[in-house]
Amino acid sequence: LKDADATAIYGSRGANGVILITTKRAKPGKISVSVNFFTGWSKTTRTMDYMNTKQYIEMRKEAFNNDGVMPNASNAPDLLIWDTSRHIDWKKKILGGTSNTTNAQVRVSGGTKNINYSLNTGYYTEGTVFPGNSNYIRGSSGFNVSTISEDSKFSSVISANYTFDKNNLPPQDISVFISNPPNMYEPYDSTGRLLWQEGGFSYGNAFSYLYQHYRATSDRLIANANLSYKILDKITIGSNFNFNSVQYDQHSTRPIASQNPAFNPRGSATFYNSSSKIWNIEPRVDYNTSLLSKGTLHVLIGSSWQQKKDEGVYLTGSGYTNDAQITSIAGAGTVSVQHDYSLYRFSSVYGRL
């Protein structure tokens, strides 16, 4: 819709036009079952070539010589402190994993001349090439039912869709660390703990980000109903009903184990929960009649009522002294709280001749 039609129904919200979307609907016929499934894997296949340790050491020595700078333990630990014969393939360590993907979709549909229905459900998951068990999961299900009475006076279209997402991907893209010096110290010591320095010099640890977990889940529900009844030969009444609900739950942690112990670190975590609910009702009356057998008079009168409520609570916890407590805000030494709330209501009456 655009221009006067859009603003008459949706007010200022439709000043730039309104797009009306009709989703896929069932068709009459025998029961039909559709199943789509695939699974696969992916690996990093094309990256830039890096120097080996011998080439890297020669390049570094040449750089110092060109600049007229004498290398020392502070500006050249890779030349004077770390093992110059050691070689670590950081591309392989960081991007050498295999990402598995699975996608399954099932749809059942059918109906008669008076009722059509469609049911669907789906599942999708995808991993990463990074070390660890990070992945993304999405599940969905929905239905669509349309009916029409024997006398064709009453008709309805009812649909609902539910989607669940779970994001457990790393909070940091550690691929930026594939340029680490090839003779840098290993990410783990002999006991499996993160290694932060060698010879008294620290260059950080890319794998520490794998200990900083991020989890985000969301639940989405979209429900719609369109009801229509022809009360007289020329008059039809009807209404649209819409409901949209979104729930978010996010949790991120920075445990002590992911930080350099030389700085006596404390853990921190954030917790965020939010919800958004929208409902919309649009009743209407439609009148159609012929004019002198040469024209048609069409009168439409309706209204629109909408409410949107958003609410969220953001908690930040710091000063954790035990990583076992970092999934609970109660274990934090210091807590900060932020609460957001908004309520929007809209109503309009429109007519079209």
Side-chain angles (χ1 to χ4, degrees), residues 162-203:
Y162 170 77
T163 304
F164 168 81
D165 291 88
K166 183 177 181 181
N167 184 343
N168 189 34
L169 298 175
Q172 169 79 24
D173 180 9
I174 63 174
S175 65
V176 297
F177 296 101
I178 62 176
S179 298
N180 281 346
N183 67 325
M184 181 181 163
Y185 49 86
E186 291 279 356
Y188 297 100
D189 61 20
S190 58
T191 64
R193 298 169 66 101
L194 290 174
L195 188 60
W196 289 96
Q197 60 86 29
E198 185 179 57
F201 187 86
S202 175
Y203 202 71

Side-chain angles (χ1 to χ4, degrees), residues 2-21:
K2 61 180 181 179
D3 302 328
D5 288 341
T7 54
I9 300 174
Y10 296 98
S12 59
R13 297 177 302 156
N16 295 318
V18 177
I19 298 175
L20 303 180
I21 299 175

Side-chain angles (χ1 to χ4, degrees), residues 89-108:
D89 188 345
W90 289 105
K91 287 194 301 180
K92 184 176 181 180
K93 276 188 176 293
I94 295 175
L95 301 177
T98 300
S99 172
N100 296 303
T101 303
T102 299
N103 189 358
Q105 305 289 331
V106 179
R107 184 171 184 266
V108 179

Side-chain angles (χ1 to χ4, degrees), residues 24 32-38 102-109 117-125 137-144 160-164:
K24 191 174 183 179
S32 172
V33 179
S34 173
V35 178
N36 292 308
F37 175 84
F38 77 79
T102 299
N103 189 358
Q105 305 289 331
V106 179
R107 184 171 184 266
V108 179
S109 62
Y117 61 88
S118 173
L119 308 172
N120 64 82
T121 186
Y123 174 81
Y124 176 83
T125 180
I137 298 173
R138 181 179 69 243
S140 62
S141 61
F143 73 89
N144 181 294
N161 287 278
Y162 170 77
T163 304
F164 168 81

Side-chain angles (χ1 to χ4, degrees), residues 223-237:
N224 301 280
N226 188 334
L227 308 179
S228 177
Y229 184 73
K230 195 171 187 179
I231 57 176
L232 296 173
D233 185 50
K234 300 177 182 180
I235 300 177
T236 302
I237 62 173

Side-chain angles (χ1 to χ4, degrees), residues 1-11 282-287 297-304 346-353:
L1 302 177
K2 61 180 181 179
D3 302 328
D5 288 341
T7 54
I9 300 174
Y10 296 98
E282 296 178 331
R284 65 188 181 278
V285 179
D286 204 343
Y287 175 78
L297 175 63
H298 181 201
V299 180
L300 175 65
I301 300 175
S303 64
S304 178
F346 172 85
S347 62
S348 68
V349 178
Y350 63 90
R352 186 170 60 191
L353 179 61

